[in-house]
Amino acid sequence: MPMRKVMKGNEAAAWAAKLAKPKVVAAFPITPSTLVPEKISEFVADGEMDAEFIKVESEHSAISACVGASAAGVRAFTATASQGLALMHEVLFIAAGMRLPIVMAIGNRSLSAPINIWNDWQDTISERDTGWMQFYAENNQEALDLILIAFKVAEDERVLLPAMVGFDAFILTHTVEPVEIPDQEVVDEFLGEYVPKHAYFDPAKPITQGALGFPAHYMEARFTVWEAMENARQVIAEAFDEFEKKFGRRYHMIEEYKTDDAEIILLTMGSLAGTLKEFIDKKREEGLKIGAAKMTVYRPFPIEEFRALAKKAKVLAILEKDISFGIGGAVFADAGRALVNEKEKPILLDFIIGLGGRDVTFENLEDVVEISKKALDGEKVEEVNWIGLRKEIL
Amino acid sequence: MAENPFKADIEKVQKEYSEKMTTGAIVYIPGSSVVNKTGGWRVFMPKFDKDKCIRCFICYTLCPEPAIYLDEESYPVFDYDYCKGCGICANECPTKAIEMVRETK
Ligand code: SF4
Ligand code: SF4
């Protein structure tokens, strides 16, 4: 029987790691994800988890140790956030290029300067081009589930790419919620053992990994990463199906909420999606044709699902906790790419919101709706809208 | 001129080495790096003067590639497919039998 426990998002991530049975966990503590390796080291010390727990001196080493472990052919896991993830940056490319299915939990946190430990997605968004798949959790249950799904997809022979699962700093990492812990046997069935055919350590069959790629080979090697990421779409869909069969919970690349007759749709990721749903209920009561959507998978970008969503709306507002300086929201830019050649497309609006842990309130969302209504009425609105900005102190 | 003593090995690897890109660009055939000729980025090449050579093997020993092998009479032979033009051989040759000259097409 699955067990229900009240736990923080960090503990949920640690439980997911325990259930996935990685052979190596290497991690360095960083707020807000410190509790993940802490809890895992407890599991290991108590003999509940048969993993090598490597204490390293930095996040760069943590991910490097995971690359080594994965290159030797075993399941590897780590957790980090913010500056820690940024410190891993160069090795993230290596993990993806070497096609090592490492899974990493990220307590999504803002980046310095100024130093800020609270929630936004700038850390993972900044790593969107590394070749890692990216999942975003709405709540602690999703943090646990998506880590299991991430392993499943990452290790699929059609994919073999690393994956990061983001869950919002403090809003999820440090907030307790009831979480269903699946049975170990069912997780074992779902994930199976990781037996890589491509990357292993066997003195009897020597291979070279991470070798020099001359201009004659580099482009082809990068193309295979691109192809693997394209394959991931199908594999993720299959994993979502199988997850539902085994565990009863359904995931979608993009989950829609009251979108069917909606003129205005608000799209976001992570825990903000929970807030949005409540807000939509309220606005629906007021008679506004409005809906919400949550992007669970950001890399690969769910292009088809996004186009289907866009078809439904007259105004599609994208709310994101990150900023790509010089252009606007990163998700917005991707969304534009998905729609640029479509014949029919909604008005796409760019909203930057909740950076550095600033609460996203219903008043903020009212502002989003006001701007969206103006756009719906054909009025010209700002190209990039900073919501909840304290203009008086600027 | 004498042949590279590893010619047969190189040809064998060349034959076996699949040009197909592998998952993760992993190289499964040991020694397959000889397929990739590494002399392409050379700017200066060693020019050898047999008359000055005393066959001391210093160049042969110190070439980092190793792109120098010895012929039947133990004179050095330079394999320009792999010589990267570092100039170590010329620098270390006690009799200045090797001179680095700018490579022209
Ligand atoms: S130049 Fe360098 S690589 Fe070329 S033969 Fe001399 S020592 Fe070897
Ligand atoms: S170091 Fe000079 S003298 Fe000695 S073997 Fe080489 S070329 Fe001849």
Side-chain angles (χ1 to χ4, degrees):
Chain A
M1 273 292 284
M3 179 169 53
R4 262 176 102 76
K5 268 177 97 126
V6 173
M7 61 172 78
K8 296 173 183 170
N10 277 334
E11 288 172 89
W15 267 97
K18 179 177 186 280
L19 290 164
K21 297 182 175 169
K23 285 278 189 306
V24 171
V25 177
F28 188 82
I30 182 166
T31 303
S33 63
T34 305
L35 193 64
V36 181
E38 234 173 65
K39 187 79 196 162
I40 290 174
S41 69
E42 242 175 69
F43 285 142
V44 174
D46 294 346
E48 287 178 46
M49 214 174 143
D50 180 23
E52 196 68 46
F53 185 86
I54 310 179
K55 286 170 273 181
V56 286
E57 90 295 355
S58 79
E59 287 84 353
H60 190 277
S61 307
I63 189 65
S64 300
C66 286
V67 163
S70 193
V74 300
R75 198 170 275 166
F77 178 84
T78 185
T80 193
S82 184
Q83 309 295 133
L85 182 61
L87 185 55
M88 291 179 175
H89 178 69
E90 62 151 326
V91 188
L92 298 182
F93 284 92
I94 294 169
M98 287 171 68
R99 308 289 296 281
L100 303 173
I102 300 159
V103 171
M104 168 152 67
I106 317 273
N108 277 120
R109 172 191 144 185
S110 63
L111 279 163
S112 305
I115 297 172
N116 175 296
I117 57 169
W118 294 275
N119 163 244
D120 65 34
W121 315 320
Q122 194 67 58
D123 50 3
T124 43
I125 286 286
S126 301
E127 306 300 347
R128 66 176 189 265
D129 301 333
T130 51
W132 283 60
M133 291 181 283
Q134 291 199 356
F135 299 84
Y136 290 80
E138 179 185 330
N139 51 44
N140 294 352
Q141 183 71 59
E142 290 199 9
L144 187 150
D145 292 352
L146 289 174
I147 288 172
L148 298 178
I149 291 168
F151 271 115
K152 174 95 180 166
V153 178
E155 291 171 3
D156 192 288
E157 274 182 31
R158 293 163 289 175
V159 180
L160 291 170
L161 284 179
M164 44 182 90
V165 177
F167 48 115
D168 291 345
F170 298 102
I171 301 172
L172 299 181
T173 57
H174 286 64
T175 304
V176 289
E177 280 178 349
V179 172
E180 190 174 298
I181 301 167
D183 286 335
Q184 184 67 62
E185 305 83 69
V186 190
V187 174
D188 289 348
E189 265 174 47
F190 179 66
L191 284 185
E193 220 187 305
Y194 174 49
V195 193
K197 290 202 193 113
H198 70 305
Y200 48 78
F201 178 68
D202 180 356
K205 284 191 282 173
I207 62 173
T208 304
Q209 298 188 53
L212 176 69
F214 282 91
H217 295 106
Y218 184 83
M219 249 181 108
E220 286 69 20
R222 299 311 282 173
F223 183 78
T224 61
V225 176
W226 161 264
E227 250 183 346
M229 192 62 94
E230 289 301 304
N231 293 346
R233 300 174 195 285
Q234 173 65 23
V235 178
I236 291 169
E238 288 171 19
F240 283 168
D241 286 346
E242 198 182 331
F243 192 88
E244 185 185 19
K245 270 190 213 118
K246 290 217 157 62
F247 305 97
R249 285 183 292 279
R250 177 73 215 177
Y251 288 92
H252 302 270
M253 301 273 263
I254 293 181
E255 193 182 300
E256 299 185 16
Y257 187 73
K258 302 195 175 173
T259 52
D260 279 348
D261 62 337
E263 290 182 324
I264 298 170
I265 296 177
L266 275 41
L267 171 74
T268 194
M269 307 198 294
S271 65
L272 183 53
T275 317
L276 272 193
K277 283 176 203 162
E278 264 192 57
F279 178 72
I280 297 299
D281 287 346
K282 179 172 167 272
K283 298 309 282 180
R284 280 275 170 183
E285 274 169 30
E286 293 169 18
L288 191 69
K289 284 187 174 171
I290 187 167
K294 168 182 75 175
M295 203 175 329
T296 304
V297 185
Y298 176 57
R299 278 291 180 275
F301 191 83
I303 290 186
E304 288 312 320
E305 292 79 358
F306 180 77
R307 283 179 184 151
L309 176 77
K311 273 208 179 73
K312 294 184 177 174
K314 291 206 174 83
V315 171
L316 182 52
I318 298 178
L319 281 65
E320 53 189 309
K321 299 182 181 179
D322 61 77
I323 174 78
S324 180
F325 296 108
I327 179 78
V331 181
F332 179 86
D334 288 12
R337 149 75 179 84
L339 293 185
V340 68
N341 287 330
E342 294 295 285
K343 275 207 181 64
E344 279 173 44
K345 46 184 170 249
I347 298 166
L348 215 54
L349 298 179
D350 192 354
F351 294 96
I352 309 300
I353 202 161
L355 298 189
R358 178 154 308 172
D359 278 340
V360 178
T361 64
F362 273 21
E363 287 84 72
N364 294 152
L365 298 177
E366 292 289 355
D367 290 347
V368 170
V369 169
E370 278 320 302
I371 295 169
S372 303
K373 273 182 176 166
K374 273 190 198 159
L376 190 63
D377 295 341
E379 262 182 69
K380 207 173 146 47
V381 300
E382 288 286 336
E383 293 213 4
V384 181
N385 300 277
W386 288 66
I387 297 297
L389 190 70
R390 296 176 56 205
K391 293 205 178 90
E392 68 278 10
I393 65 167
L394 288 172
Chain B
M1 197 164 65
E3 269 200 347
N4 185 335
F6 302 108
K7 194 167 177 250
D9 289 344
I10 293 173
E11 274 170 6
K12 184 168 164 266
V13 172
Q14 270 171 340
K15 220 171 133 231
E16 283 175 22
Y17 181 68
S18 144
E19 267 286 316
K20 210 172 150 40
M21 178 53 61
T22 57
T23 305
I26 294 171
V27 182
Y28 293 94
I29 300 170
S32 59
S33 64
V34 295
V35 176
N36 296 315
K37 297 190 169 139
T38 49
W41 55 54
R42 193 173 50 232
V43 179
F44 289 94
M45 63 190 286
K47 198 177 137 218
F48 174 58
D49 182 350
K50 199 171 179 177
D51 292 342
K52 288 191 191 161
C53 178
I54 55 170
R55 291 180 273 181
C56 68
F57 304 167
I58 288 177
C59 58
Y60 169 85
T61 317
L62 294 182
C63 173
E65 279 310 292
I68 302 174
Y69 54 95
L70 301 176
D71 67 9
E72 294 82 4
E73 296 172 85
S74 296
Y75 280 111
V77 180
F78 300 81
D79 190 336
Y80 293 110
D81 278 346
Y82 301 99
C83 163
K84 63 181 173 187
C86 66
I88 290 174
C89 52
N91 203 49
E92 298 297 331
C93 173
T95 65
K96 299 283 164 245
I98 306 168
E99 187 197 349
M100 297 304 288
V101 296
R102 186 175 276 277
E103 185 149 7
T104 45
K105 277 250 156 101

